[in-house]
């Protein structure tokens, strides 16, 4: 064997060994860091970002917070007329790739991109990341920029043709909540894949460590783009953590397709600082834990369901064009509940408040050593259903409190909610076609036998109409696809994509928009009773939900620690103080091998040591609050 072959063999062995080490360690624990969105929306400057990064390094890095992440629109000029869905204010290079706005990021001048910022962040001992949108910008498509071939450093050429942005941009698949901003690229084309490759090679050249990819998951599901990007990242000589956002209407079934391709993925809409947003995370967290998605296989390591950022401390407002100006709207009890649930569910912890005004209470909460221990190292995390409650209401100033086991409910009414789910789950299979009269057909949803609805929910169908010259380009792609109309709104089509980012407490509802060539209005009825949306590839389902109902009830989570301890959390979602209880025999149902008859226990928030566990365990929990117990058993 000659020296060249020996050298090649050794290099190959090193690369294989290096990637094997990466695959064992990348995102081995739930990622932890800071993101600018909750405090700055999109308006953050280089100076403001580096000020926050320096404080993360000084105050949070020792507690495992290692990522400093710039959220969206870092390429948009902060000038009059620019806002979240404005058009024409982005800075792009000659290849149609967005680059930092030099007005806000002066170190990016001269083609440096984020290289200087990344270096400063790395010198602080942190890792640098940013937010990106799906596909390609509308601005690049309108300019019809050429596509870079990273293997040649020149314009991409295939079949004797130089390819441009208009060749790959899919206008009918624009991001629903930022239609003027970005659209999908056609990944079936070599040029489409080449464009995405040019993006992520550029990010690697900037020494980026974390990418938050938006408008590709949940109701905006774009599996083809996720798969393409994941493959590109896997082939880079730099390890980049891959995060998906947001995850409105995401399900475990859907997530199982993407979890091995990424490192973290949002499973809710945007979480903001109101109780309704926090409360809606309980069902979602339960479902992903029950599906064994916590810490599953991911890109070069593990993947984690992400409950979204922690909107605590000094914040701004959703979609605002101004920086932080107010404190979090969550009460201290609600903040403890959020932090405890995020930790018990082992969600990534991304703090969103302005570090420059980090108060002691918020700091103590996000660095609580027990919560961080649970978040990093607990196992067997799951909802614990074996609990009972009694509600406490003051009888009079002099009289005693009375207790009742009958929960208080608000008056409710029913509403129809349209959701997107995997086409493979039973809940998506209930659609059928029926003829009303000659040349008039309906697509209807068949209610289950136990539903109170006697009549099916129906929409009127027509084949999607294509009129303009541009529409003809898509005629084959959408041949046979349906537009669905309400009976009394001709010219308006059934549309499932939100025109803005949804918060966690908002549900997807049926809506109607003027009919147009738009993939989120294109539907295909399958023989198995599913109604597939051309925008996301997911299927529509309808359920009855109770309207005007405040989140209520009690919940509990349980997990084991690395030293054998048991963590038990009680959550009171009610508007009144509630006593939550469980028994030793019930605890044994969760972990049969643990002898709960030999346990001592203490509560974290009150720091109270209860001594030996007897027959039951109870706590009086404030409204929207929680109790967190550590059980040590011999």
């Amino acid at each position: 064997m000659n020296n060249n072959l020996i050298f090649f063999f050794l290099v190959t062995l090193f690369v294989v060994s290096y990637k094997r080490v990466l695959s064992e360690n990348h995102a081995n624990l739930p990622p932890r860091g800071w993101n600018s969105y909750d405090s700055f929306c999109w308006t953050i400057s280089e100076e403001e970002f580096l000020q926050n990064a320096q404080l993360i390094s000084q105050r949070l890095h020792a507690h495992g917070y290692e990522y400093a992440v710039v959220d969206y629109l870092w390429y948009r000029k902060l000038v009059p007329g620019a806002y979240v869905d404005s058009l024409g204010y982005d800075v792009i290079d000659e290849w149609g790739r967005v680059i930092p706005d030099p007005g806000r990021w002066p170190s990016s001048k001269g083609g440096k991109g984020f290289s200087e910022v990344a270096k400063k962040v790395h010198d602080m001992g942190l890792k640098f990341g940013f937010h990106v949108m799906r596909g390609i910008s509308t601005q690049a498509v309108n300019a019809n920029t050429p596509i870079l071939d990273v293997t040649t450093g020149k314009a991409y050429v295939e079949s004797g043709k130089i390819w441009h942005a208009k060749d790959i941009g899919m206008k009918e698949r624009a991001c629903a909540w930022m239609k003027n901003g970005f659209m999908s690229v056609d990944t079936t084309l070599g040029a489409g894949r080449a464009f995405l490759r040019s993006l992520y090679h550029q990010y690697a050249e900037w020494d980026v460590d974390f990418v938050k990819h938006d408008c590709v998951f949940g109701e905006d599901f774009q599996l083809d783009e996720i798969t393409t990007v994941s493959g590109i990242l896997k082939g880079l000589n730099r390890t980049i953590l891959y995060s998906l956002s947001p995850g409105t209407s995401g399900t475990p079934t859907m997530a199982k397709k993407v979890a091995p391709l990424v490192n973290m993925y949002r499973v809710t809409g945007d979480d903001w600082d109101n109780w309704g947003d926090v409360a809606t995370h309980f069902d979602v967290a339960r479902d992903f834990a029950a599906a064994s998605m916590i810490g599953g296989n991911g890109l070069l390591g593990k993947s984690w369901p992400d409950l979204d950022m922690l909107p605590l401390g000094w914040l701004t407002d959703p979609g605002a064009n101004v920086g932080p100006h107010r404190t979090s709207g969550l009460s201290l009890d609600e903040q403890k509940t959020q932090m405890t649930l995020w930790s018990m569910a082992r969600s990534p912890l991304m703090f969103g408040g302005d570090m420059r005004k980090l108060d002691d209470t918020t700091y103590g909460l996000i660095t609580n050593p027990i919560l961080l221990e649970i978040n990093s190292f607990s196992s067997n995390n799951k909802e614990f259903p074996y609990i009972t409650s009694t509600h406490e209401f003051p009888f009079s100033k002099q009289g005693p409190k009375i207790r009742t086991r009958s929960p208080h409910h608000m008056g409710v009414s029913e509403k129809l909610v349209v959701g997107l789910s995997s086409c493979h789950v039973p809940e998506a299979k209930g659609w059928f076609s029926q003829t009303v009269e000659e040349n008039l057909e309906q697509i209807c949803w068949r209610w289950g036998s136990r539903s109170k609805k006697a009549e099916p929910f129906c929409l009127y169908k027509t084949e999607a109409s294509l009129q303009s010259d541009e529409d003809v380009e898509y005629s084959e792609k959408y041949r046979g696809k349906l537009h669905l109309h309400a009976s009394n709104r001709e010219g308006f089509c059934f549309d499932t994509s939100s025109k803005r980012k949804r918060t966690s407490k908002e549900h997807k509802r049926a809506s109607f928009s003027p009919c147009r060539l738009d993939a989120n209005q294109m539907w295909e009825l399958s023989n198995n009773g599913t109604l597939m949306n051309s925008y996301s590839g997911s299927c529509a389902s309808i359920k009855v939900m109770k309207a005007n109902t405040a989140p209520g009830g009690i919940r509990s989570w349980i997990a084991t620690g690395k030293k054998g301890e048991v963590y038990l959390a009680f959550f009171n979602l009610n508007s009144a103080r509630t006593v939550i209880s469980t028994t030793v025999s019930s605890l044994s149902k969760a972990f049969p091998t643990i002898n709960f008859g030999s346990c001592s226990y203490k509560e974290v928030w009150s720091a109270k040591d209860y001594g030996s566990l007897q027959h039951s365990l109870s706590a009086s929990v404030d409204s929207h609050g929680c109790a967190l117990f550590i059980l040590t058993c011999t």
Side-chain angles (χ1 to χ4, degrees), residues 198-214:
S198 74
L199 293 181
Y200 288 86
H201 276 255
Q202 183 181 61
Y203 304 157
E205 291 171 0
W206 291 347
D207 289 336
V208 171
D209 305 291
F210 181 110
V211 171
K212 177 182 175 181
H213 195 183
D214 206 330

Side-chain angles (χ1 to χ4, degrees), residues 123-139:
D123 289 344
M124 298 173 190
L126 302 175
K127 295 179 180 178
F128 173 67
F130 56 57
H131 173 289
V132 299
M133 291 294 295
R134 80 186 318 166
I136 189 169
S137 72
T138 304
Q139 196 165 318

Side-chain angles (χ1 to χ4, degrees), residues 5-24:
L5 288 176
I6 293 174
F7 176 75
F8 177 78
F9 173 77
L10 291 175
V11 169
T12 303
L13 182 62
F14 171 77
V15 171
V16 171
S17 300
Y18 177 68
K19 287 196 171 185
R20 184 170 61 248
V21 170
L22 286 180
S23 68
E24 293 171 353

